[in-house]
Amino acid sequence: MASLLEMKEIFRNADAVCFDVDSTVIREEGIDELAKFCGVGDAVAEMTRRAMGGTVTFKAALTARLGLIRPSYEQVQKLISDSPPQLTPGIRELVNRLHQRGVQVFLVSGGFQSIVEHVASQLNIPTANVFANRLKFYFNGEYAGFDETQPTAESGGKGKVITQLKEQFHFKKVVMIGDGATDMEACPPADCFIGFGGNVIRKQVKEKAKWYITHFDELLKELEER
């Protein structure tokens, strides 16, 4: 197991940095915002808490929550235009700095492609670097489920994405940054996991993560110290 010093070294020399999105890159949980928008906020927020605590499989939790929300195509688009996700303070500067250093930045999320792509566009992250779940709709725009073949629809899916990235791009050092249990379990194959508690603190992650931060400035400082 890497020491904190070794982890900081890995971060400073990373080929790629993968960020979780909900409660990490953005302040809110996208699925909870969608649920509120569709009038089933409280019931879904409780399911999200259970999913993040690691007590149910990710796919089971996603299926149950989406079965309750049943968002239409129109509702998803309206959510993005009327209540766009709020970027976490410091993330724009951190992503810019990583890009300046030639580091590839990826968004690896259990959230929804259309919402995550909107976030990516604000951070100058190409759509090809977005890995998220795809909602499916019938021709009339009604909810038709989600693409269960996406790796991010499964428990352990973020790790699968990182393995795939390492194989495809021959990355030597990949860092995963996120707030939840699904982010922490992606290391390994990630070479380093940084827990993020700037929006919400998940007790299990805070206790187990060797490197835990509450503001992205802490990572910016690490990059400036070289």
Side-chain angles (χ1 to χ4, degrees), residues 7 19 29 37-39 58 75 81 141 214 217:
M7 288 169 75
F19 288 92
E29 285 287 323
F37 201 75
C38 297
F58 185 80
Q75 283 172 317
S81 62
T214 54
D217 279 359

Side-chain angles (χ1 to χ4, degrees), residues 11 24 27 30 52 61 85 87 118 142-143 151 167 176-177 209 216:
F11 174 66
T24 300
R27 305 204 68 150
M52 292 309 292
L87 290 176
H118 175 80
E142 283 180 15
Y143 174 68
E167 286 170 1
M176 179 75 210
I177 300 172
F216 288 124

Side-chain angles (χ1 to χ4, degrees), residues 23-213:
S23 297
T24 300
V25 168
I26 62 172
R27 305 204 68 150
E28 54 277 281
E29 285 287 323
I31 195 163
D32 290 351
E33 295 306 304
L34 187 57
K36 274 188 241 169
F37 201 75
C38 297
V40 287
D42 291 347
V44 169
E46 179 51 39
M47 284 177 169
T48 299
R49 271 194 293 278
R50 287 208 299 269
M52 292 309 292
T55 52
V56 287
T57 69
F58 185 80
K59 188 182 268 187
L62 188 60
T63 304
R65 289 179 291 175
L66 282 172
L68 212 68
I69 305 169
R70 303 195 65 77
S72 68
Y73 176 79
E74 191 182 350
Q75 283 172 317
V76 174
Q77 297 309 310
K78 197 161 167 42
L79 172 70
I80 293 168
S81 62
D82 292 8
S83 311
Q86 302 297 304
L87 290 176
T88 300
I91 187 64
R92 199 188 291 276
E93 294 78 3
L94 179 57
V95 170
N96 283 345
R97 188 78 188 96
L98 289 166
H99 280 153
Q100 283 165 10
R101 291 167 68 94
V103 179
Q104 288 253 33
V105 178
F106 295 87
L107 299 181
V108 185
S109 171
F112 306 121
Q113 187 84 17
S114 48
I115 297 173
V116 178
E117 282 183 1
H118 175 80
V119 173
S121 70
Q122 292 181 283
L123 296 170
N124 297 315
I125 295 169
T127 305
N129 288 21
V130 169
F131 294 85
N133 287 313
R134 295 175 186 275
L135 293 172
K136 297 198 290 195
F137 304 98
Y138 292 112
F139 67 93
N140 64 355
E142 283 180 15
Y143 174 68
F146 63 96
D147 181 355
E148 297 191 23
T149 66
Q150 292 293 321
T152 47
E154 300 270 4
S155 295
K158 292 180 181 180
K160 285 184 192 148
V161 169
I162 291 171
T163 298
Q164 186 183 318
L165 291 175
K166 282 184 153 188
E167 286 170 1
Q168 189 178 346
F169 297 106
H170 308 291
F171 293 140
K172 297 277 188 293
K173 292 189 173 74
V174 177
V175 174
M176 179 75 210
I177 300 172
D179 67 289
T182 60
D183 307 310
M184 190 162 60
E185 70 182 16
C187 178
D191 301 278
C192 165
F193 168 69
I194 303 169
F196 182 73
N199 293 309
V200 61
I201 289 175
R202 316 267 179 211
K203 187 167 172 278
Q204 173 193 10
V205 177
K206 189 176 184 196
E207 284 171 1
K208 290 186 182 167
K210 273 198 182 169
W211 191 359
Y212 195 83
I213 63 166

